Amino acid sequence: MFDLKAHRISLNLTQQEMAQAMGMPLRSYQDIEAGKNPVRPVHEAAANYAAYLIRIKDRTKSDDPLRLFLIRFKSHNGQWGNPWTVWAEDFPDAVERFYNLARVDKTSEIQIKGALSGLIPDHSIDHAQAVLEHRGWPWPD
């Protein structure tokens, strides 16, 4: 189970700062951290994305459009999973976003490819900054 308080402490943030970074009211955040309300997947995703934004806040952002990458990882039983789509500025950014947003063990072997023409999904790049989606697509050879 995701430990929101430990995650916040690892980022060296106050409850107020974490709630603000996650885009939620302080009181709601406090209730979740105190165990009055459960940590739902949306809270875990918001906390992971907030942590990602905090880590990259001093990085120079490019004016280039984000690019779509396909990433998959090998499970502990040695099987390749279905690909994830990751919108990122470049290859290192795609890897960082994948590991941070998907919460995949960083010792896992991964494969990454830039999107091939004709494979780009029908979905808006307007919300791509936060998008990491698991896809049932076949891996392109």
Side-chain angles (χ1 to χ4, degrees), residues 128-141:
Q129 190 70 17
V131 171
L132 174 76
E133 295 178 309
H134 194 236
R135 300 284 186 169
W137 295 345
W139 188 252
D141 292 324

Side-chain angles (χ1 to χ4, degrees), residues 38-92:
V39 177
R40 297 189 338 252
V42 68
H43 300 130
E44 183 176 349
N48 289 333
Y49 188 62
Y52 169 75
L53 291 178
I54 289 164
R55 281 193 290 279
I56 67 163
K57 74 178 180 180
D58 295 327
R59 209 187 272 175
T60 305
K61 179 136 173 71
S62 168
D63 289 334
D64 294 337
L66 296 177
R67 296 176 43 216
L68 180 70
F69 291 87
L70 297 177
I71 301 179
R72 67 179 180 172
F73 70 98
K74 192 177 277 189
S75 65
H76 295 294
N77 66 7
Q79 298 295 314
W80 287 104
N82 286 332
W84 295 71
T85 57
V86 181
W87 290 96
E89 292 181 17
D90 53 27
F91 180 88

Side-chain angles (χ1 to χ4, degrees), residues 98-120:
F98 177 70
Y99 277 130
N100 289 311
L101 298 175
R103 304 285 294 180
V104 172
D105 179 0
K106 291 187 176 166
T107 62
S108 298
E109 182 180 351
I110 68 168
Q111 289 181 334
I112 183 168
K113 290 188 177 194
L116 306 171
S117 61
L119 195 62
I120 296 175

Side-chain angles (χ1 to χ4, degrees), residues 22-42:
M22 290 174 61
M24 64 187 306
L26 174 61
R27 188 73 211 146
S28 298
Y29 179 85
Q30 290 171 329
D31 287 347
I32 293 168
E33 196 173 281
K36 293 179 183 177
N37 292 322
V39 177
R40 297 189 338 252
V42 68

